[in-house]
């Protein structure tokens, strides 16, 4: 059994337990052991990077140190965490000067970044550790050609120079993993473009307009749902549809479902075992379609 | 509008983490064209932001609201033919703006959350109950003490709070 | 051995410098130096009566070493050497020094000190002269024939020039037909004429009554001395300049060029159809085919990848002249040539790596060359731009500039001709289809050539639209089968979505695929972008650092047709100049290896900038370095590199360097600590010259020792200088990237760093040693450096040698 340090971040445990629940169930079922890290903090995502890049690197490095001490690689669910931790991990591994600078800061808290561990998004764990074939064998309830609009979120792919997750212009991994579950990953306009989530709270009007584009494009392409990997994308698109209703007087009712939830459902987790009531846009249509 | 000698401002940016590549820019507009925000609102255009910065328009760049409109999606950075790390440059500009007191309220909130709880989104009693209901393990507390030491070492606490309540 | 008799000739430059230097004291001093048998003073010695004095001294007084103190040493050196040679003395037994610019002028405020320094300089020159040895000339036979690699416009033009001049020329082209890019490009700017039109060879023009024609009508192939080998590539190059042996591999054509009458019967019966790459895959051709427009040879060829050979053999049956032979084999030919010209051109970059433009995925996104095929009346669409996806005429056409060029992710350079190609194509389309909607998205429009700007003007007149902005993505709308080009119109600061039937990418131009392999075979270099590197972009633009090998045209960098022609003619002249005497005569100012010392460390073969050193078996099972006399340029970089001191220059022996070091430091005459400056003969020495010419001042304690290239300097030379009394040492060389011997100045820098570490280990301040990289116009910097170095050393106090 492969073990990982589960890095939950801030938003998932505090706002989206349905994501955590689905991910824990699915990954455990697929033979991945998840170890909760003691004392982990925020990953220092873009808002903190905006305040101070150096601090952000130090915070991310601190959390990586926790995994190094536990001798475990990190598994993240949130793409934001994936990005912050991967960037820090790669930059510090590859740039000695920067590493020394950050280690000087960390030494105050009794830590030293050694650069011995990897940060992985759980999709990578599915690809590398579980494997597409093994995953396929575990699918007991194929998703019945469900039309899924895959939306990985920006920070799974970009900046590709550091994240090195997939081809940033022609990603395949997420789509492959959707199709293994028996669903269809459908093409739609501007698939790789941002949802605007990070502008929420600062420029809500712009954020909503960008989110609306995303919804409209997926909707027009005939999607049964949009599948997400990131809690911010989820919130932006799920709650966003409520706001679109009031602001634009438009109703799409397009379910937003975390990939972990689709995964759980397909490998035999019952809907009632998941926290689907956390979705603002009800997912019943999807459940119906997959039977 | 104060106009600084363009070179001075440019040097200041290139010497910052994230800002190193700004001088590569040859104003091709790829970033603007690919930017989801620029495509949505006239208020924002990354190419123009870089241009202003390279022309030394310090106040217009650091005091305004433009720099806060980037969604950090990295589309521009991915496609810039001159390998300008556009999104990172914007982080660098934000880092500079913050130090000059241009701190949007929401960022103040994030920083406060980080400093007091070690997390940006503190967990509510309701959620704690829900977690138990779903059979999720109780959330392990963040090591706020260690974090505070780090924030003190980088000067983060001072960056954020030296100008109390400062916001645009 | 013949007794050494040194004659010293002191020019006072018309009395000018005698106002500063005490010539009487100098004359008396020189007289006391052992070996000197004659001292003469005059106002100039490098021409006229003065020069005659030297000649007489050689003839009658049997002077066999000549030391001349004269201004403009470079010119005087040549004149004196020539004169003494005519008088029967080996010209390398002459040593010239410059008492004016290196002594009198810069130290004019301290005449006493200057005179003392002049003594030291004279002594050094005399001591060196005593050790000079004759250097003989060598002759290497040169075959009067040239291999031209690449049959595009550059190769054809160079070949024509040389054949016209009477050289045997072999023109080797890897494709089955000549023409290169030109054959595909339809028209060329700025003449707007057919791309494959060339000058008719002089003699043939008289016969055909025309001056220019398409290649095949021009009579090009009929030029005497010109041998054309198509479908052929270079597989091996051996030998040396003047005498290369080149192995060429000819792929079978399966059609006898001499028998084929181009009747086309074969293609009618051939059952195999494939997409025609030559026509951008917009049409099909048979397995046996010929390209149109016709270039050369006017004979069909069989595509071995497609042909079914004996399973079918229909064409063999039908050929009226029995020209087809399906059993033809690859053959090898060996050519003996004196010189080689590389004219392999450039090619279009494959833009599919720029994924946001979806080339190769959306068939209506094409490159310039593909569009050119459409605009060719002979071409697959008969001159009409179409949408390859459905064959419909393209009415809305968007050009995207700088695709893969000026892009740090792919090719950082500007490909320099694609702006003009777009303007040419846009106007061609507008001319034929005035209603077409043509837009060019650009970052900058570069129309720097003669008449180029008119294209831009004409395009605007004709209604071509220009959008300043580089598109970020090309999107395909499946519902309407339309392309959408996303771009910011920067001048309006507006984001546009341009609808297009056809998007044309102005792709980068990159070196031909085989450039790397060829460069390796020829022993020449490529630049950082993979183009063939010239010896010196300004002065020797078509030469390489290997004698006898020349480069031209797009192989060196993307070029338009006029520049390509110029380049080709230049290469042809250089090759002709190199071979015209049928022999290469050269003074053997080269390096020699003492094979007994050589430790086979393999440093020198790698370091020699001219690939002049090889390791050869010694017979006792060991290998030793050997210098090729014809390839060696005599820079001495190998001398500085060899860890065991096994190499020396015939024109600057170690003993000569030591003697000069000692002599220059044997007399001080100033109150300041002695500083020795090693300078290269090129920019370094020129900077010293110019500081004197410009009457800069620097103290007389600074003494200059000239070496061919600073690369020759070994750590031990530096230590020797300190041991001989120098308190500071300067190394004055060319700019690191402007070194006349490529790497010498960089090697010297490394040596200086090494010596500094060593000094430190000995407890000597490493600041006593410094490297300076100067050019001619930086005489002020040399003077400045000499001053600061002196001050620094003064401050450090006397050197303590353990
Ligand atoms: S894409 Fe790059 S070079 Fe072009 S305008 Fe934006 S930052 Fe400048
Ligand atoms: S990172 Fe910012 S500037 Fe760049 S494309 Fe995204 S939102 Fe626009
Ligand atoms: S010639 Fe024009 S299109 Fe070509 S790389 Fe240069 S600027 Fe770009
Ligand atoms: S002297 Fe220069 S050219 Fe001659 S062998 Fe040595 S390094 Fe090569």
């Amino acid at each position: 059994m492969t073990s990982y340090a589960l890095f939950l971040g801030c938003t998932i445990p505090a706002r989206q337990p349905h994501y955590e629940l689905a991910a824990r169930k699915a990954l455990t079922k697929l033979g991945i052991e998840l170890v909760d890290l003691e004392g982990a903090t925020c990953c220092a995502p873009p808002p903190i990077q905006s305040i101070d890049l150096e601090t952000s690197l130090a915070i991310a490095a601190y959390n990586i140190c926790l995994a190094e001490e536990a001798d475990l690689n990190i598994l993240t669910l949130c793409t934001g965490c994936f990005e912050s931790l991967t960037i820090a991990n790669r930059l510090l591994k590859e740039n000695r000067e920067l590493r020394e600078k950050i280690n000087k800061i960390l030494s105050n808290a009794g830590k030293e970044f050694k650069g011995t561990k990897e940060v992985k998004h759980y999709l990578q764990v599915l690809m590398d550790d579980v494997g597409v074939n093994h995953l396929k064998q575990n699918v007991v309830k194929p998703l019945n050609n469900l039309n899924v609009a895959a939306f990985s979120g920006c920070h799974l792919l970009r900046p590709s120079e550091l994240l090195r997750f997939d081809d940033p212009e022609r990603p395949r991994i997420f789509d492959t993993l959707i199709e293994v579950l028996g669903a269809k990953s459908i093409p739609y306009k501007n698939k790789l473009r941002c949802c605007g989530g990070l502008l929420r709270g600062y420029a809500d009007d712009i954020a909503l307009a960008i989110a609306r584009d995303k919804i409209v494009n997926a909707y027009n392409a005939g999607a049964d749902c949009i599948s997400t990997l990131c809690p911010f994308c989820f919130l932006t698109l799920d709650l966003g549809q409520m706001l679109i209703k009031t602001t634009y007087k438009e109703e799409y009712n397009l379910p937003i479902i975390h990939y972990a939830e689709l995964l759980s459902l397909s490998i035999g987790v019952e809907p009632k075992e998941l926290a689907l009531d956390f979705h603002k846009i009800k997912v019943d249509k999807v459940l119906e379609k997959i039977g | 509008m104060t106009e600084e000698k363009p070179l001075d401002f440019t040097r200041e940016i290139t010497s910052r983490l994230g800002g190193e590549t700004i001088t590569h820019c040859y104003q091709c507009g790829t970033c603007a064209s690919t930017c989801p925000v620029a495509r949505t609102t006239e208020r924002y255009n990354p190419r123009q932001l870089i241009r202003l910065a390279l022309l030394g328009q310090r106040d217009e760049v650091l005091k305004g609201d433009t720099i806060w409109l980037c969604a950090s999606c990295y589309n521009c950075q991915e496609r810039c033919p001159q390998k300008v790390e556009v999104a990172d440059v914007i982080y660098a500009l934000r880092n500079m703006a913050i130090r000059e007191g241009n701190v949007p309220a929401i960022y103040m909130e994030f920083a406060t959350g980080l400093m007091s709880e070690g997390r940006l989104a503190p967990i509510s009693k309701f959620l704690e109950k829900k977690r138990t209901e779903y059979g999720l393990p109780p959330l392990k507390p963040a090591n706020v003490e260690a974090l505070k030491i780090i924030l003190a070492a980088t000067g983060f606490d001072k960056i954020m709070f030296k100008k109390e309540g400062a916001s645009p | 051995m013949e007794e050494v008799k040194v004659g010293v000739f002191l020019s006072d430059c018309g009395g000018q410098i005698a106002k500063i230097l005490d010539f009487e004291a100098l004359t008396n001093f020189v007289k006391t130096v052992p070996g000197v048998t004659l001292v003469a003073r005059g106002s100039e010695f490098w021409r006229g009566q003065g020069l005659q004095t030297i000649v007489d001294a050689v003839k009658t007084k049997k002077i066999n070493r000549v030391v001349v103190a004269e201004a403009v040493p470079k010119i005087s050196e040549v004149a004196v050497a020539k004169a003494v040679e005519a008088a029967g003395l080996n010209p390398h037994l002459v040593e010239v020094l410059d008492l004016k610019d290196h002594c009198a002028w810069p130290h004019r405020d301290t005449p006493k000190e200057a005179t003392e320094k002049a003594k030291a300089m004279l002594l050094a020159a005399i001591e060196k002269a005593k050790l000079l040895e004759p250097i003989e000339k060598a002759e290497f036979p040169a075959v009067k024939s040239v291999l031209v690699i690449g049959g595009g416009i550059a190769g054809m033009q160079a070949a024509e020039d040389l054949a016209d001049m009477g050289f045997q020329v072999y023109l080797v082209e890897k494709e089955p037909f000549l023409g290169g890019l030109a054959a595909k490009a339809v028209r060329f700017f700025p003449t707007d004429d057919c791309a494959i039109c060339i000058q008719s060879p002089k003699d043939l023009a008289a016969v055909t009554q025309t001056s220019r024609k398409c290649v095949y009508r021009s009579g090009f192939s009929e030029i005497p001395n010109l041998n054309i080998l198509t479908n052929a590539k270079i597989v091996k190059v051996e030998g040396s300049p003047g005498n290369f042996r080149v192995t060429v591999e000819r792929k079978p054509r399966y059609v006898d060029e001499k028998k084929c009458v181009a009747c086309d019967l074969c293609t009618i019966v051939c059952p195999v159809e494939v997409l025609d790459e030559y026509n951008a895959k917009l049409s099909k051709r048979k397995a046996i085919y010929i390209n149109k427009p016709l270039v050369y040879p006017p004979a069909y060829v069989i595509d071995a990848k497609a042909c079914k050979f004996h399973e079918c053999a229909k064409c063999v049956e039908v050929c009226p002249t029995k020209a087809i032979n399906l059993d033809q084999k690859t053959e090898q030919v060996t050519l003996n040539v004196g010189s080689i010209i590389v004219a392999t051109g450039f090619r279009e970059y494959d833009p599919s790596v720029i994924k946001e433009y979806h080339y190769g995925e959306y068939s209506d996104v094409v490159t310039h060359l593909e569009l050119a095929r459409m605009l060719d009346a002979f071409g697959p669409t008969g001159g009409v731009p179409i949408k390859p996806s459905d064959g419909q005429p393209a009415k809305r056409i968007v050009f995207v500039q700088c695709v893969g060029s000026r892009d740090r992710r792919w090719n950082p350079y500007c490909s320099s001709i694609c702006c003009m190609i777009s303007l040419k194509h846009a106007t061609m389309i507008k001319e034929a289809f005035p209603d077409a909607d043509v837009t060019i998205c650009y970052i900058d429009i570069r129309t720097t050539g003669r008449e180029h700007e008119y294209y831009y003007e004409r395009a605007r007149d004709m209604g071509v639209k220009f959008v300043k902005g580089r598109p970020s993505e090309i999107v395909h709308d499946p519902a309407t089968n339309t392309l959408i080009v996303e771009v910011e119109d920067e001048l309006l600061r507006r984001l546009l979505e341009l609808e297009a039937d056809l998007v044309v990418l102005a792709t980068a131009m990159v070196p031909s695929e085989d450039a790397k392999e060829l460069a390796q075979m020829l022993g020449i270099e490529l630049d950082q972008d993979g183009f063939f590197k010239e010896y010196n972009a300004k002065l020797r633009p078509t030469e390489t650092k290997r004698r006898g090998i020349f480069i031209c045209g797009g192989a060196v960098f993307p070029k338009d047709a006029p520049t390509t022609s110029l380049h080709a003619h230049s290469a042809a002249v250089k090759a002709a100049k190199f071979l015209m005497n049928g022999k290469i005569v050269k003074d053997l100012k080269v390096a020699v290896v003492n094979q007994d010392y050589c430790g086979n460390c393999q440093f020198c073969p790698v370091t020699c900038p001219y690939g002049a050193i090889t390791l050869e078996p010694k017979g006792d099972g060991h290998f030793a370095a050997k210098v090729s006399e014809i390839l060696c340029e005599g820079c001495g970089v190998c001398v500085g590199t060899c860890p065991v001191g096994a190499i020396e220059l015939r024109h600057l022996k170690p003993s000569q360097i030591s003697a000069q070091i000692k002599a220059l430091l044997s007399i001080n005459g100033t109150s300041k600590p002695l500083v020795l400056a090693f300078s290269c003969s090129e920019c370094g020495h020129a900077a010293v010259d110019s500081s004197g010419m410009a009457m800069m001042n620097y103290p007389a304690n600074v003494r200059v020792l000239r070496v061919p290239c600073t690369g020759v300097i070994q750590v031990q030379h530096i230590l020797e200088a300190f041991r001989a009394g120098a308190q500071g040492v300067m190394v004055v060389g060319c700019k690191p990237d402007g070194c006349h011997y490529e790497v010498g100045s960089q090697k010297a820098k490394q040596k200086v760093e090494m010596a500094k570490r060593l000094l430190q280990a000995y407890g000597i301040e490493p600041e006593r040693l410094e490297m300076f990289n100067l050019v001619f116009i930086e005489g002020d910097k040399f003077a400045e450096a000499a001053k600061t170095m002196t001050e620094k050393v003064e401050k450090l106090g006397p050197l303590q040698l353990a």
Side-chain angles (χ1 to χ4, degrees), chain B residues 31 34-37 44 46 69-76 86-87 90:
Chain B
C31 52
T34 200
C35 174
V37 183
Y44 184 69
L69 289 176
C70 165
S72 305
C73 74
Y74 283 95
N75 259 318
C76 48
V86 189
I90 293 169

Side-chain angles (χ1 to χ4, degrees), chain B residues 3 43 67 79 81 84 87 141 155:
Chain B
E3 205 172 307
R43 284 158 64 197
I67 43 170
R79 289 177 171 170
V84 176

Side-chain angles (χ1 to χ4, degrees), chain C residues 401-402 405-406 413-419 444 446 506:
Chain C
Q401 297 308 106
C402 306
S405 295
R406 306 180 69 201
Y413 56 87
C414 164
S415 293
S416 78
I417 52 172
C418 12
C419 278
D444 303 285
R446 296 186 169 172

Side-chain angles (χ1 to χ4, degrees), chain A residues 8-11 13-15 17 20-21 24 36-42 45-55 57-59 62 83 87 98 105-106 108-109 154-155 157-160 168-169 192-194 198-199 201-203 205-206 209-210 275 277-278, chain B residues 16-18 33-34 36-37 39-41 43 65 68-75 77-79 88 91-92 94-95 98-99 104 106-107 110-111 114 118-123 127 130-131 134 136-137 139-143 146-147 149-151 153-154 156 159-160:
Chain A
L8 279 171
C10 310
T11 313
R15 303 273 196 270
E20 185 180 339
L21 189 61
R24 283 191 193 263
D36 289 17
L37 278 178
E38 279 315 322
T41 73
C42 162
I48 303 303
Q49 294 165 25
S50 299
I51 299 169
D52 191 49
L53 281 172
E54 203 175 293
T55 305
L57 282 177
I59 298 176
Y62 170 81
E83 190 218 24
I87 288 184
L98 199 58
I105 297 169
L106 292 179
N108 294 297
C154 301
H155 294 166
L157 301 171
R158 297 183 294 263
S160 64
E169 293 285 350
L192 300 179
R193 212 170 261 176
C194 176
L198 278 172
L199 291 178
Y202 182 76
D205 52 336
I206 300 173
I210 298 174
D277 51 334
F278 258 82
Chain B
R16 288 202 78 88
L17 201 54
S33 171
T34 200
V37 183
R39 288 220 160 255
T40 309
T41 174
R43 284 158 64 197
D65 101 314
W68 302 105
L69 289 176
C70 165
S72 305
C73 74
Y74 283 95
N75 259 318
Q77 185 151 331
E78 213 55 68
R79 289 177 171 170
D88 294 336
Y91 280 140
R94 287 179 177 179
N95 288 186
I98 293 261
R99 283 169 169 73
I106 181 84
Y107 285 83
F110 286 136
L114 181 72
R119 294 179 197 280
L120 302 192
I123 188 161
L127 240 297
K130 275 279 174 195
R131 288 182 69 88
Y134 294 141
L136 286 169
L139 184 59
K140 301 212 165 171
N143 188 342
L147 193 67
I149 295 171
I150 293 172
L151 296 184
T154 63
F156 184 90
I159 303 167
M160 276 315 284

Side-chain angles (χ1 to χ4, degrees), chain C residues 591 608-610 612-613 627 632-638 649:
Chain C
C608 171
Y610 305 95
I613 307 184
V627 176
C632 175
E633 298 279 335
C635 62
V637 170
C638 53
L649 290 178

